[in-house]
Amino acid sequence: MRNHDLTFLKHFSQMIAGLAVLTVVLIIFANWIYWQQPTDPNPAAEAATDARIAPLSGVYAGDTGAAAMAAAAEEARKAAASQVAYGGTLDGSEIYGQLCSTCHNTGAGGAPTLDRAHWDARVAQGIDTLIKHAEEGFQGDAGLMPARGGNPALSDEQVEATVRWMVDNLK
Ligand code: HEC
């Protein structure tokens, strides 16, 4: 009887010990799997790091830097200004064909077509007046000439080239 109890106790404690070892092995294994996974950075910790390494004040580039910035702004302004109508062409016939012809070929709204009968009196005012009227717009007896033919993107040089082309091409 006594021997049977001892045998049982021995086997039972061996089994408990074996299970305890298995538990530890599984815990280590689970931890190992966990650490294999990539972890997302903690946004709060990242923000704190950024705040710690931020410079105390902005960089002052000195007068040279300010001049460079002014030059860059000027460049940008020039680039924007060069975005003029019809690719900036100074070809009067091109601009006339794209814009002015809608009125001046048909006589729409009283626009003088390109024949001398319509233009002799106008040309007599002098080319400068014609250019000025085309740039600023002109209300005459015949009708309303809109400033720059209605396209404010046209430059002074483009309007002038077009008026000169019109006057040179009267029939
Ligand atoms: C919406 C129609 C219209 C468009 C577009 C138009 N014109 Fe005119 N234009 C007129 C009318 C109308 C007159 C006549 C005004 C008057 O004398 O009563 C006129 C007159 C003129 C005159 C004569 C001004 C004067 O003093 O007698 C010139 C120069 C002229 N246009 C140039 C142009 C040029 C250059 C363009 C294109 C950039 C253009 N026009 C586009 C309607 C137009």
Side-chain angles (χ1 to χ4, degrees):
M1 215 43 186
R2 248 184 89 107
N3 269 342
H4 284 133
D5 285 350
L6 275 177
T7 311
F8 168 79
L9 260 177
K10 192 180 154 203
H11 286 162
F12 187 71
S13 34
Q14 275 173 348
M15 199 181 75
I16 296 288
L19 286 175
V21 169
L22 181 65
T23 306
V24 171
V25 167
L26 286 177
I27 288 173
I28 292 172
F29 182 59
N31 264 302
W32 179 78
I33 289 179
Y34 176 76
W35 289 113
Q36 297 302 103
Q37 308 299 315
T39 45
D40 286 340
N42 179 345
E46 280 196 323
T49 306
D50 284 349
R52 272 198 302 278
I53 66 177
L56 284 180
S57 63
V59 176
Y60 175 59
D63 288 343
T64 334
M69 279 166 69
E74 175 72 5
E75 279 300 312
R77 198 191 57 75
K78 274 189 194 153
S82 72
Q83 303 286 320
V84 289
Y86 314 120
T89 179
L90 289 179
D91 180 349
S93 77
E94 164 93 18
I95 299 169
Y96 180 85
Q98 301 250 21
L99 176 62
C100 321
S101 58
T102 45
C103 294
H104 284 277
N105 270 5
T106 59
T113 50
L114 297 191
D115 37 81
R116 293 192 189 284
H118 281 126
W119 283 86
D120 280 347
R122 299 180 189 274
V123 172
Q125 303 174 90
I127 187 80
D128 289 344
T129 305
L130 292 182
I131 293 167
K132 184 169 178 283
H133 285 171
E135 282 174 8
E136 297 173 358
F138 174 65
Q139 171 72 67
D141 293 337
L144 174 70
M145 164 64 203
R148 294 170 203 277
N151 184 345
L154 272 186
S155 69
D156 287 356
E157 291 76 16
Q158 287 179 306
V159 174
E160 174 174 348
T162 312
V163 173
R164 289 186 188 281
W165 180 89
M166 288 166 75
V167 170
D168 286 347
N169 285 274
L170 298 173
K171 306 243 152 49

